[in-house]
Amino acid sequence: MFKDKKVVFSGVQPSGVLTLGNYLGAIKNFAAFSDEYKCYYCVVDEHAITVRQNPAELRRRTYETLALYIACGLDPEKNTLFVQSHVSAHAELGWILDCYTMFGELSRMTQFKDKSQKNADNINAGLFTYPALMAADILLYQTELVPVGVDQKQHLELARNVAERFNSVYSDTFVVPEPYIPTETAKIMSLAEPSKKMSKSDENENAVIRILDPRDVIIKKFKRAVTDSGCEVRRAEGKEGISNLMSIYSAFTGKSDDEITSEFDGRGYGDFKLAVGEVCADALAPVQAEFARLTSDKAYLESIMAHGAEDAARSAARTMSKVRRKIGFIEPKRV
Ligand code: AQP
């Protein structure tokens, strides 16, 4: 059925309650590919353990992230939804690609530098080799397109380099993937420090809108968003806070910068912040309702995970067999 379709792959870590950044930068865009592409959307729990996780919370968030995928419009009949650790080929190809990824390349990754600063007591080898596992995630499915936020661009370039290196040593094995990065919402910024990315692991709750925040909390957080000392709703340098709110407002209303500037002409920041909070809360309300319904049905989520893993493993096995042959491993025979 999917034979001739090109492949899309993306993943989200169950490392916290997902944010508006994860939603606008990644998940909201996933469903648009479902008709035209064969889509694999993964909950990347193996990536999440590069930072210490509480086991019970990790398990709960893995279910929740899968439920959010569906609540955000991903139909399990049209998309392969699965958990990374359920398909052992990810770890297997991850190790192989570790041996085709250079120390110097990994040392240049800005996310490694940021995360090692944030987790100075746990700078583990997995945090360092994370991009090689991410390359494996993508290359396993012969992926053409990877929808991600701009923070993942560097990792994706590394995946392309690794694929090209492997292909040039052993002849064509992997499709070389392209990133798909949205223009306006590629990087949603923190509401408290608009020069910083909105991150699910941010300790300041006021910096982050969670997809599951109740309406009043969303509106309160937007009201508190850090802006500048002016009063004009206009995108400009020095107005990073307002520019970020304009990107969010535009993502939910489809309005252009000029339309937003004229809509709030003479009305000041208070009115604008309230309007951003309201459109955001309105858009997230149906997602939250569907999420509540899905998380009360664990058996359903488990059946989606099981079917997704089976489908993904079948496709991953084809790539693994090719890779084993090319590098000189003996293909295991069944007894
Ligand atoms: N602020 C953001 N703006 C736009 N896109 C974003 N993404 C993350 N933050 C923003 C995109 O969401 C997808 C899933 O991200 P992830 O779970 O792999 O982890 P991350 O990029 O490390 O995101 P966080 O929220 O910052 O997580 P923590 O705090 O755990 O490190 C990716 O496509 C990402 O680009």
Side-chain angles (χ1 to χ4, degrees):
M1 175 186 177
F2 292 116
K3 237 178 165 180
D4 298 316
K5 286 190 169 178
K6 291 183 173 173
V7 174
V8 162
F9 176 94
S10 198
V12 173
Q13 298 183 66
S15 51
V17 184
L18 301 197
T19 71
L20 192 60
N22 301 129
Y23 180 69
L24 293 179
I27 305 177
K28 183 171 177 270
N29 311 314
F30 289 175
F33 298 101
S34 305
D35 287 328
E36 240 182 280
Y37 291 81
K38 164 72 180 155
C39 297
Y40 295 91
Y41 295 120
C42 184
V43 182
V44 288
D45 54 349
E46 289 172 339
H47 286 284
I49 60 163
T50 55
V51 172
R52 193 77 71 228
Q53 303 289 337
N54 171 302
E57 269 179 33
L58 179 62
R59 203 169 294 120
R60 179 173 52 77
R61 284 176 177 154
T62 302
Y63 282 107
E64 288 180 359
T65 305
L66 187 85
L68 267 178
Y69 275 170
I70 303 169
C72 289
L74 293 179
D75 178 350
E77 296 287 324
K78 289 190 182 169
N79 302 276
T80 300
L81 309 179
F82 69 107
V83 176
Q84 186 185 28
S85 64
H86 292 180
V87 179
S88 57
H90 286 256
E92 203 180 342
L93 185 62
W95 169 254
I96 293 172
L97 295 186
D98 274 349
C99 304
Y100 296 82
T101 308
M102 301 301 136
F103 180 87
E105 284 176 310
L106 293 172
S107 310
R108 287 194 287 277
M109 296 294 114
T110 54
Q111 192 181 85
F112 171 69
K113 292 178 196 165
D114 292 348
K115 289 206 170 172
S116 11
Q117 261 179 7
K118 276 198 212 160
N119 303 283
D121 57 343
N122 183 25
I123 307 177
N124 59 73
L127 193 63
F128 188 64
T129 60
Y130 176 121
L133 178 59
M134 179 167 153
D137 300 337
I138 296 166
L139 302 183
L140 260 183
Y141 301 99
Q142 306 294 349
T143 303
E144 300 263 343
L145 212 56
V146 187
V148 281
V150 78
D151 60 319
Q152 292 296 336
K153 192 165 176 244
Q154 198 185 26
H155 289 165
L156 211 46
E157 272 159 16
L158 189 133
R160 288 171 56 84
N161 290 344
V162 172
E164 281 166 354
R165 181 172 302 136
F166 196 99
N167 288 351
S168 79
V169 176
Y170 299 106
S171 79
D172 276 358
T173 308
F174 298 120
V175 168
V176 180
E178 294 284 343
Y180 174 88
I181 299 176
T183 40
E184 278 301 311
T185 54
K187 196 171 185 185
I188 299 298
M189 310 309 275
S190 150
L191 297 189
E193 287 174 77
S195 57
K196 235 179 68 179
K197 183 185 92 145
M198 184 182 285
S199 242
K200 60 173 110 66
S201 58
D202 200 314
E203 280 165 10
N204 179 358
E205 262 310 304
N206 284 325
V208 184
I209 301 289
R210 310 269 173 196
I211 301 183
L212 299 175
D213 276 345
R215 184 181 186 84
D216 58 328
V217 173
I218 292 176
I219 290 175
K220 194 171 71 194
K221 285 182 178 176
F222 275 115
K223 274 189 184 162
R224 288 190 183 151
V226 169
T227 48
D228 52 86
S229 55
C231 58
E232 213 183 337
V233 177
R234 179 170 56 83
R235 194 182 290 275
E237 224 173 280
K239 292 170 81 74
E240 282 70 26
I242 285 294
S243 303
N244 187 38
L245 297 183
M246 287 177 76
S247 299
I248 296 170
Y249 191 66
S250 165
F252 287 121
T253 60
K255 291 180 182 167
S256 68
D257 281 358
D258 286 347
E259 286 170 325
I260 299 171
T261 298
S262 65
E263 182 179 351
F264 292 94
D265 186 26
R267 289 171 60 187
Y269 288 170
D271 266 14
F272 178 51
K273 287 178 176 180
L274 178 63
V276 183
E278 282 177 341
V279 293
C280 177
D282 287 348
L284 294 181
V287 173
Q288 296 175 351
E290 183 62 359
F291 173 84
R293 194 184 67 76
L294 288 162
T295 42
S296 65
D297 192 351
K298 205 168 159 186
Y300 172 70
L301 293 176
E302 282 172 348
S303 88
I304 300 297
M305 280 178 192
H307 282 102
E310 196 178 288
D311 182 37
R314 209 177 307 118
S315 168
R318 285 196 290 274
T319 300
M320 283 313 299
S321 164
K322 212 161 142 188
V323 168
R324 281 194 208 98
R325 232 178 324 113
K326 299 239 178 164
I327 59 179
F329 286 178
I330 297 170
E331 187 72 7
K333 299 273 182 250
R334 289 179 193 280
V335 282

